[in-house]
């Protein structure tokens, strides 16, 4: 699942949309939203890429990043629980290496 997010981010990063560019310039100049920041931050954490983590953390406030990471975690646990046909609580505990409740 995170590989898909990572690939999507890299594809988007390498080819910014036309409306993301400043008129007459090639550099992107758009605000990142908290979910984009969270996706990049978490993927960078998984890859141990400190530079990318720092960049994503600078896109939004620390509070917004925290909310985005929490939302991403919830969605990831729900997706894995559906995939595994297990309760979200069991999946979350498993991901953290905790014994079954």
């Amino acid at each position: 699942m995170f590989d898909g997010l990572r690939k999507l981010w890299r594809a988007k990063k390498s080819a910014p949309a036309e409306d993301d560019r400043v008129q007459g310039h090639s550099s992107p100049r758009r605000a990142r939203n908290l979910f984009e920041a969270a996706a990049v931050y978490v993927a960078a954490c998984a890859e141990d890429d400190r530079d990318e983590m720092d960049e994503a953390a600078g896109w939004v406030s620390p509070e917004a990043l925290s909310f985005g990471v929490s939302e991403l975690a919830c969605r990831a646990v729900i997706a894995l629980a559906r995939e595994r046909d297990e309760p979200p609580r069991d999946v979350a505990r498993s991901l953290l290496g905790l014994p079954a409740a």
Side-chain angles (χ1 to χ4, degrees):
M1 184 167 104
F2 289 116
D3 287 335
L5 287 172
R6 199 173 306 124
K7 287 177 187 173
L8 179 64
W9 168 247
R10 286 192 179 137
K12 174 89 174 148
K13 187 175 175 184
S14 65
E18 190 62 37
D19 58 340
D20 290 347
R21 300 174 190 269
V22 177
Q23 217 170 36
H25 297 86
S26 62
S27 62
R29 193 185 111 183
R30 67 177 179 87
R32 304 303 204 292
N33 71 39
L34 67 104
F35 295 117
E36 184 177 15
V40 172
Y41 183 84
V42 169
C45 287
E47 294 177 337
D48 198 27
D49 183 345
R50 191 67 189 155
D51 291 336
E52 193 80 3
M53 288 168 54
D54 291 342
E55 181 179 341
W59 294 345
V60 295
S61 72
E63 295 82 10
L65 182 61
S66 177
F67 174 79
V69 169
S70 293
E71 184 65 23
L72 178 58
C74 289
R75 292 178 188 197
V77 167
I78 289 168
L80 284 172
R82 288 179 181 157
E83 218 175 77
R84 296 178 181 182
D85 197 28
E86 296 177 12
R89 178 179 298 205
D90 293 348
V91 171
R93 294 183 68 82
S94 171
L95 288 171
L96 293 170
L98 299 172

